[in-house]
Amino acid sequence: MAARIVMTALPGMPRVRKGDDLAALIVAAAAGCGEALQDGDIVVVAQKIVSKAEGRMVDLASVEASEAARDMAVLCDKDPRQMELLLAEAGEVLRARRGVVIVALRNGMVLANAGIDRSNVDGEGEDHVLLLPSDADASAAAIRERLEAISGARVGVIIADSIGRAWRLGTIGTAIGAAGVRCLTDLRGAPDMNGRALQTTDVGTADELAAAASLLMGQAAEGTPVVLIRGAASALGDGRAVDLVRPVEMDLFR
């Protein structure tokens, strides 16, 4: 990784609606602040605007809760309709208690409440929720392809979301989708400062970049859902965010 990395939150991104061309909006926002995409750039995009562009907003009035969803909603003190969506998104329910349900999605990613969110759902009211992209790695690949077609630059794309961690309090920016980025960097065998070979070091490169970008994105009303990272070209490569999911057979808590 370069000794100097520059991150720029792109101002001027409009409210994203279903069907919007995110790549075109990103290129226009970059141009608005005097930037143009360059070879080696990495674009970090907030999950919410990807979900909005892909039409992943759901009106709870259109959802009919099953008996299983109603029973679990009572246990967890949640809206039965939202619980129905949660169960539909989940591959497996791992834990359930008042206020929270921990699930493994079909791609193996473990999340609270299946990532379903009501915050920053533009003026749609309390009866609208936003689901994660159905395949965030595929979404990142599509955005990357379009960005490269418009700009002519070779870039990487990370889709970031704020996710809690099992052993620590607080959410942190995390890569849930990626394309053109080496998400997991295996440093086993590389020498440490004393010349000893590293034995177990894997670095979640895409998560580190997502976390750094989230400092500029913010978590509330900042309105800067896209961050341009320059100087991290060494992180470009073939990878998917799903590469970061710990295999079940290596999960000591399941």
Side-chain angles (χ1 to χ4, degrees):
M1 198 73 71
R4 184 171 186 267
I5 295 175
V6 177
M7 299 189 302
T8 305
L10 300 183
M13 282 292 293
R15 298 277 188 175
V16 173
R17 305 294 183 188
K18 180 179 178 180
D20 282 350
D21 184 342
L22 277 184
L25 295 178
I26 290 167
V27 170
C33 62
E35 294 285 358
L37 294 184
Q38 301 177 9
D39 285 347
D41 285 349
I42 295 175
V43 180
V44 183
V45 186
Q47 164 268 318
K48 280 188 174 63
I49 66 170
V50 178
S51 291
K52 290 174 182 177
E54 294 182 352
R56 296 286 283 166
M57 190 179 297
V58 178
D59 184 350
L60 290 178
S62 69
V63 178
E64 183 176 349
S66 64
E67 183 178 354
R70 292 195 298 271
D71 289 344
M72 187 167 286
V74 172
L75 172 66
C76 300
D77 191 25
K78 285 189 170 293
D79 187 317
R81 301 167 300 175
Q82 187 167 341
M83 188 63 70
E84 179 66 29
L85 294 173
L86 185 155
L87 293 177
E89 293 292 298
E92 179 183 3
V93 176
L94 303 180
R95 298 285 189 276
R97 50 174 267 186
R98 185 178 180 84
V100 65
V101 183
I102 307 298
V103 305
L105 302 181
R106 293 183 186 86
N107 66 2
M109 186 176 294
V110 177
L111 295 173
N113 303 318
I116 297 173
D117 201 355
R118 279 179 165 169
S119 64
N120 289 323
V121 180
D122 301 338
E124 298 289 348
E126 288 298 314
D127 282 337
H128 287 75
V129 297
L130 198 62
L131 310 183
L132 295 181
S134 57
D135 183 341
D137 281 325
S139 299
I143 294 169
R144 180 194 181 211
E145 181 179 6
R146 180 79 173 124
L147 284 173
E148 292 187 338
I150 296 172
S151 69
R154 176 175 171 263
V155 301
V157 171
I158 294 172
I159 297 174
D161 195 10
S162 296
I163 294 177
R165 298 156 294 163
W167 300 298
R168 298 180 71 85
L169 296 174
T171 62
I172 188 170
T174 304
I176 67 165
V181 177
R182 183 167 31 82
C183 294
L184 187 66
T185 304
D186 185 355
L187 295 182
R188 290 173 296 177
D192 68 10
M193 293 179 64
N194 297 309
R196 289 189 292 266
L198 298 174
Q199 300 296 314
T200 60
T201 305
D202 288 323
V203 177
T205 306
D207 281 346
E208 290 191 322
L209 293 169
S214 73
L215 293 172
L216 294 180
M217 287 181 178
Q219 301 294 326
E222 290 84 355
T224 50
V226 180
V227 172
L228 175 63
I229 298 179
R230 184 160 291 159
S234 61
L236 295 184
D238 295 326
R240 303 173 301 159
V242 74
D243 298 338
L244 295 163
V245 176
R246 187 180 296 276
V248 173
E249 62 270 17
M250 295 174 61
D251 188 339
L252 299 180
F253 296 89
R254 292 166 68 187

